[in-house]
Amino acid sequence: MIRRLLPFASLLALPLLTGGLAHAEDGAAIYNANCSVCHQAGGAGSPGQFPPLAGRIGKIAATPEGKTYVADVLLNGVHGTIEAGGASYMGFMPSFKALTDDQLATVLTYISSLNSPGAPAFTADEVKAARAAPKKAKEILAERKALNDAHPLP
């Protein structure tokens, strides 16, 4: 009996052995379930409605301030006018704070990697730190402006 259960026990232990680390396919699945309806498959965006993510988020997240900003956007949402990729967008993005820190880190890592070789990975601890300091819409836009002033956003 124990011999038959051993393979199943090893599958249950897998998250413990990997430290609960998420894989790229998990990030894609989370993205497809939560983000692609607006930002489209592969982060292509929708002209005039939703900015593209591919090739941009990895560049934004290349600095510590950029990483914090994109985590803040996912946790708090954003609304108002933004410039992205040379186009203007006026819209509303909801908060995804209902997702766990691990899920958010996984999807941020996935989004960051879209058409951005060598893009930084996100950790659950980074998301947890951002979650501990919630921001209002005006603060998110001010954070974006400060980031853009320091490192022009793509």
Side-chain angles (χ1 to χ4, degrees):
M1 173 86 152
I2 291 175
R3 197 177 270 174
R4 280 189 266 164
L5 292 176
L6 195 53
F8 296 109
S10 64
L11 287 176
L12 293 174
L14 187 59
L16 297 174
L17 296 174
T18 61
L21 295 176
H23 303 287
E25 60 271 11
D26 296 336
I30 295 167
Y31 176 85
N32 289 332
N34 294 281
C35 313
S36 67
V37 69
C38 294
H39 292 285
Q40 303 302 302
S46 181
Q49 294 181 312
F50 306 103
L53 303 177
R56 293 184 51 253
I57 301 303
K59 292 174 185 171
I60 294 169
T63 65
E65 303 87 5
K67 281 183 93 171
T68 299
Y69 168 72
V70 294
D72 285 344
V73 167
L74 219 56
L75 283 163
N76 300 286
V78 68
H79 66 276
T81 302
I82 65 166
E83 295 290 323
S88 182
Y89 296 88
M90 173 60 174
F92 171 82
M93 182 177 138
S95 163
F96 287 92
K97 66 183 174 188
L99 296 176
T100 68
D101 295 343
D102 284 329
Q103 289 172 316
L104 291 174
T106 301
V107 76
L108 283 168
T109 297
Y110 170 74
I111 293 168
S112 179
S113 73
L114 294 172
N115 296 338
S116 294
F122 287 77
T123 67
D125 287 340
E126 290 169 325
V127 174
K128 183 178 180 178
R131 189 185 296 271
K135 293 188 171 87
K136 297 185 186 305
K138 285 192 277 186
E139 294 171 300
I140 297 289
L141 292 176
E143 184 179 15
R144 181 180 180 84
K145 183 182 179 329
L147 184 61
N148 192 49
D149 289 346
H151 314 279
L153 300 175

